[in-house]
Amino acid sequence: QVQLVESRGGLVQPGGSLRLSCAASGSIFIINSMGWYRQLPGKQRERVAQITSGGGTNYADSVKGRFTISRDNAKNTVYLQMNSLKPEDTAVYYCNLNQLEGLRLVNYWGQGTQVTVSS
């Protein structure tokens, strides 16, 4: 099993910044990717940003140019730097780790952290 511990989110004014972190521990084998997703009540979870084991990144169109994902491989930690935050960024953010276990790719999720962008 893998445990993912996310930093606390919070309340941020529009235009502000917030940095999330997520530390992975436990039975970590071959990590395929780590990333961040977000979810609004009654809506599907959407991918915000992802970073692969090789360092490649991809972002949702809605956050390109504002959010930056990075990773510290030595600490098995992934970060999400969020700048120029908008009210529509308000959601519960979840950390994700995808790794190879035997012949399967397995997903693990953090507990979720609330980010609220409001004046």
Side-chain angles (χ1 to χ4, degrees):
Q1 283 290 334
V2 173
Q3 294 78 43
L4 299 174
V5 178
E6 298 158 353
S7 60
R8 185 179 296 180
L11 173 63
V12 184
Q13 289 192 339
S17 298
L18 188 65
R19 188 194 197 206
L20 301 179
S21 66
C22 171
S25 63
S27 301
I28 297 172
F29 302 114
I30 302 173
I31 297 176
N32 179 53
S33 67
M34 295 186 74
W36 291 93
Y37 288 67
R38 65 188 182 188
Q39 188 170 23
L40 288 167
K43 294 203 171 182
Q44 272 196 320
R45 194 172 293 187
E46 65 170 357
R47 188 170 66 188
V48 175
Q50 183 184 49
I51 185 165
T52 67
S53 57
T57 59
N58 58 74
Y59 298 90
D61 287 342
S62 59
V63 307
K64 281 181 182 176
R66 299 188 299 120
F67 290 12
T68 302
I69 189 170
S70 60
R71 180 174 159 184
D72 184 333
N73 289 332
K75 296 181 179 179
N76 288 321
T77 299
V78 65
Y79 305 93
L80 185 67
Q81 178 66 45
M82 303 184 290
N83 298 329
S84 302
L85 282 161
K86 303 176 181 180
E88 51 263 44
D89 294 319
T90 296
V92 178
Y93 284 70
Y94 294 90
C95 175
N96 170 264
L97 181 149
N98 179 272
Q99 73 171 3
L100 185 65
E101 296 182 0
L103 297 178
R104 300 182 307 134
L105 285 173
V106 179
N107 280 306
Y108 293 92
W109 297 93
Q111 76 280 8
T113 187
Q114 177 70 47
V115 173
T116 301
V117 184
S118 175
S119 54

